[in-house]
Amino acid sequence: MPQAVLPEVLNTSFEAAKVVFPIPFVREKLEIVNQYIHSEELGVLIGLTHDLQGRLIIEGRAPVFQALGVAMYGMELADAMLESFVGEIGNMVAGNMSTRLAENGIHVEISPPTVIVGPTKLTGFVTAAKVPLHLENIGVIHVILILDESE
């Protein structure tokens, strides 16, 4: 993982989340994951290309995303609407992160969101940084950043 940019990219993703999420959250301790990532119920994966190669994943339990939907839109989302909402959360956070990184001279393009539904094991990476975010009165989601080694 390109260690030099990891803190900047992670901090930028948290700043982006502060803009997207209308409720306060507390970042927990970063965990380095070397084997696989287990997504419990629901998540979104956004590919990162150009100056950075990797993936941004936001994952958690469905009730947490449902409560976040209520906080953001005042209505409870379920089924296909909830899945679409989770994809859009990823799009908003990654898009805002990309804009902020560009302001610091790092050009990052993002892929369309890939929504992850059901228990999933994600492999195919060397190292990932995983940070739980405790959303006030809602629950925990995880922001996971995988940056591929540059050649």
Side-chain angles (χ1 to χ4, degrees), residues 25-81:
F25 61 83
V26 175
R27 292 176 7 194
E28 294 297 320
K29 185 179 178 188
L30 177 141
E31 173 189 354
I32 298 297
V33 180
N34 294 323
Q35 295 180 344
Y36 63 88
I37 295 165
H38 180 256
S39 177
E40 293 183 44
E41 272 183 53
L42 199 52
V44 58
L45 180 146
I46 304 284
L48 308 175
T49 61
H50 205 45
D51 289 350
L52 294 176
Q53 303 292 315
R55 274 100 45 228
L56 174 70
I57 301 164
I58 300 171
E59 72 87 26
R61 300 190 48 82
V64 175
F65 285 112
Q66 287 172 323
L68 184 57
V70 170
M72 291 178 73
Y73 299 117
M75 61 187 288
E76 194 163 309
L77 305 170
D79 304 319
M81 287 294 292

Side-chain angles (χ1 to χ4, degrees), residues 44-47 84 86-88 90-91 111-115:
V44 58
L45 180 146
I46 304 284
S84 178
V86 171
E88 191 52 35
N91 220 19
S111 73
T114 299
V115 177

